[in-house]
Amino acid sequence: MITTVVLAGLISGVGRLWPMVIDAGLLRAADGIAIALGGWMLVYALARRLFAKQLSRWCDAPGAARDRYMRRLGPAMVLYMITLVGSIVLIKRGIEPVALRAAVAVVPMLPIAMVASAMVRYVRDVDEMQQRIETLAVCIAALLVSLGYFAGGLLVAAKVLELDAGAAMLWVFPLLCVSYGLAKFFVMRRYQ
């Protein structure tokens, strides 16, 4: 994650020094990534310091499984940020053939598939109790996000809300990850 913040900061710095090298869209994306991830790292560091004992009980799986997971997750997330920004910039520049535009649009899915693979391997490598916790947390998260997405669809169909379908679809995976984290917190409390 530190690598991603540094990379985003470098892109932002180069864009400010030489605006003709980096277009405004990429510069805004780099600023957003640097601010969001930097803020997340600050919150994480503060939480680690203030709640180290509780976090270790809640988050820590066996060291080897956690270390393998982090070694796979870090590069995949850096690659995701790079491919997402590159994809957005290329699409905004106007790629004409529809097949090429579709291919460029889904390139960020490859690193997300790497993240999903790392998650599956992590769950496979932990003990049975941790597997039970992870599985229950994922089930709860999937149920919450599915119900929310379904409710949103019903509200749009009833013309109570107006939502862009593409934007709503982009939020499914991030919401699933956040819901999983919250669900895991409550599931872990049950087993303490």
Side-chain angles (χ1 to χ4, degrees), residues 47-70:
R48 257 333 254 177
R49 180 157 304 245
L50 296 173
F51 306 108
K53 191 174 182 181
Q54 293 86 353
L55 282 173
S56 67
R57 280 194 317 235
W58 177 60
C59 296
D60 286 349
R66 185 185 59 241
D67 292 345
R68 278 191 301 272
Y69 173 69
M70 294 308 289

Side-chain angles (χ1 to χ4, degrees), residues 5 8-9 12 16 28-42:
V5 173
S12 182
R16 299 222 184 308
R28 282 192 304 274
D31 288 345
I33 291 168
I35 290 168
L37 289 178
W40 174 251
M41 286 173 38
L42 179 63

Side-chain angles (χ1 to χ4, degrees), residues 93-180:
R93 289 196 176 164
I95 299 173
E96 281 308 313
V98 175
L100 182 58
R101 191 167 58 240
V104 168
V106 298
V107 164
M109 286 292 299
L110 297 173
I112 292 300
M114 292 168 57
V115 169
S117 172
M119 290 173 166
V120 169
R121 287 183 181 148
Y122 169 76
V123 172
R124 183 194 65 200
D125 292 346
V126 296
D127 63 18
E128 288 84 7
M129 181 63 153
Q130 191 67 35
Q131 285 178 351
R132 182 180 178 130
I133 291 167
E134 299 293 338
T135 304
L136 187 55
V138 168
C139 288
I140 292 169
L143 181 63
L144 290 174
V145 172
S146 297
L147 288 173
Y149 201 75
F150 183 62
L154 292 172
L155 292 171
V156 168
K159 298 190 184 338
V160 174
L161 287 178
E162 284 189 32
L163 295 173
D164 177 26
M169 287 182 201
L170 286 174
W171 279 99
V172 171
F173 187 70
L175 285 174
L176 187 62
C177 292
V178 169
S179 298
Y180 158 74

